[in-house]
Amino acid sequence: MRRGLVAFFALSLIGLGVTGCGLFRFEQREPWRAQAEEACLSQRLVQPSAYMALSSKIEGPGVCGMDYPFKVSAFNNGAVGLKSKVTLACPIIPQIDTWIDEIVRPAAKMYFGVPLADIKAGSYSCRPRNNQRGAKLSEHSFGNALDVMGFALVDGREISVMNGWRSRDPAEQEFLREVFVGACRYFTTVLGPGSDAFHYDHLHIDLARHDPKGQRRICKPILKFAPRIDPEKSQEVLQSAAAAGDLAPVDLEQDVPEGEAYIPPAPPPAPALAAPVAPPPRYSSSNGYAADLPGPGGARGSQPPSYPQPPTGRPPEQTYLPPRPQGRPANAPLVLNSHAIY
């Protein structure tokens, strides 16, 4: 009996082990992520400093994390601070540094006349894209993306993406568009207000690989804006991104004003309209109807059709009114401007 129980438990454990192999399969990050981190470090593109602190490896949950994360408190060697520290993988840091140095800081001086002081941003977060359950993991899950919510100037003025994108102040609008278009030169993904329903309040930049070689770029929305900083280079990159096409599916915002921010999808074909009904012809005692009528008796000069006669017993001088229509059937819609109201 005892031997039988031992054999039963042994077989049960073997069965659970085989089942577990199917249930607990370990996913792995794409190899290019580790390769990009190692190349960044070996080339010393990011140097540890008072503003860049190399941290311990982040593993999980799942495939989230990075091998060489940096805790960043400022960019451009401390010239541009962060409202709160961000955690980023090595490869995207030098791209952010270059973007800020070549685009954002000159744009602040150009449009506001004062230097840039800080950036309000968010970074590492193990989550699906746009926090939508079932979607692919966001580049934020690998420290390969940055969300920029706003900019602060040395004079204390703050320009938020949410309020400034359609601000009545043209300087704020043009500054945000300048830094947005400029970002398309340094990152493979740039999304802003109007690109979809999830980026109405921030600029998303990342170094995702949309093709095996990592050359495809996504820059949305397509802006009707002429950049002032190195316009030829910016236009070249934008044309390349437009030629590459968009990733599908994309849920476009439907409330963006016409002519603003994005190219809307083609409208569905208009339904065929019924032929207009001609107004009833006017009758003249001298020449009959003013227009020829189709069908029998429709020639010019024909007599008007007979109308219902008043019921018997009604005074002849009383004007006859046709009977009023019956009440509306139950559950039938009222009609107002061709739209049913229930």
Side-chain angles (χ1 to χ4, degrees):
M1 180 69 178
R2 185 175 182 181
R3 289 181 180 179
L5 289 174
V6 171
F8 172 77
F9 283 116
L11 290 173
S12 299
L13 290 174
I14 293 173
L16 288 173
V18 172
T19 304
C21 291
L23 293 177
F24 301 103
R25 291 173 293 187
F26 292 97
E27 297 182 70
Q28 293 183 346
R29 295 180 206 136
E30 298 95 324
W32 65 265
R33 297 188 184 277
Q35 295 167 6
E37 287 191 75
E38 292 170 1
C40 180
L41 286 179
S42 64
Q43 297 172 27
R44 297 185 177 181
L45 299 180
V46 179
Q47 297 282 350
S49 67
Y51 314 104
M52 303 276 176
L54 183 60
S55 185
S56 57
K57 183 177 182 179
I58 298 177
E59 280 286 356
V63 297
C64 292
M66 61 203 87
D67 294 335
Y68 305 101
F70 280 84
K71 302 289 186 181
V72 183
S73 60
F75 291 104
N76 286 187
N77 198 28
V80 178
L82 284 161
K83 292 291 186 179
S84 58
K85 290 184 179 181
V86 297
T87 302
L88 296 168
C90 183
I92 197 172
I93 295 174
Q95 295 299 102
I96 297 174
D97 257 330
T98 306
W99 171 58
I100 292 175
D101 186 51
E102 296 183 357
I103 302 294
V104 185
R105 294 175 69 185
K109 290 282 291 184
M110 179 186 301
Y111 290 101
F112 304 110
V114 294
L116 179 70
D118 298 297
I119 292 178
K120 183 180 180 182
S123 60
Y124 175 72
S125 175
C126 182
R127 60 174 176 80
R129 292 178 182 176
N130 302 319
N131 287 309
Q132 300 300 295
R133 181 176 297 179
K136 293 182 179 180
L137 284 178
S138 168
E139 289 299 307
H140 289 287
S141 302
F142 310 101
N144 201 34
L146 186 75
D147 283 344
V148 179
M149 283 74 76
F151 304 86
L153 307 176
V154 295
D155 62 0
R157 182 172 182 175
E158 294 189 0
I159 300 95
S160 73
V161 175
M162 182 173 64
N163 297 326
W165 194 262
R166 299 186 182 92
S167 171
R168 294 183 179 179
D169 184 348
E172 291 191 3
Q173 282 199 16
E174 293 183 13
F175 167 76
L176 290 174
R177 282 153 178 73
E178 190 82 50
V179 300
F180 172 87
V181 172
C184 298
R185 295 167 48 180
Y186 306 95
F187 306 96
T188 56
T189 310
V190 182
L191 301 174
S195 62
D196 58 37
F198 303 99
H199 296 86
Y200 68 95
D201 62 349
H202 67 279
L203 307 180
H204 171 94
I205 54 179
D206 71 40
L207 290 178
R209 292 198 177 182
H210 303 301
D211 61 0
K213 295 183 179 180
Q215 296 179 349
R216 184 182 181 189
R217 293 176 182 268
I218 296 176
C219 187
K220 297 179 61 180
I222 306 298
L223 295 179
K224 297 179 179 179
F225 174 78
R228 297 170 60 185
I229 300 175
D230 200 355
E232 294 183 1
K233 180 63 176 178
S234 295
Q235 290 296 341
E236 178 184 343
V237 173
L238 290 176
Q239 290 174 3
S240 175
D246 294 331
L247 285 181
V250 175
D251 296 325
L252 294 175
E253 286 184 316
Q254 299 301 319
D255 60 344
V256 179
E258 183 178 357
E260 172 71 43
Y262 76 98
I263 299 177
L273 298 177
V277 179
R282 291 175 297 176
Y283 179 75
S284 171
S285 59
S286 60
N287 61 359
Y289 284 99
D292 293 337
L293 296 177
R300 183 180 299 274
S302 60
Q303 295 301 315
S306 60
Y307 290 92
Q309 298 300 317
T312 58
R314 183 182 299 272
E317 68 275 6
Q318 182 175 352
T319 303
Y320 172 69
L321 297 175
R324 305 183 69 177
Q326 299 297 322
R328 181 171 59 91
N331 299 326
L334 295 172
V335 176
L336 178 63
N337 293 334
S338 301
H339 295 285
I341 300 178
Y342 290 87

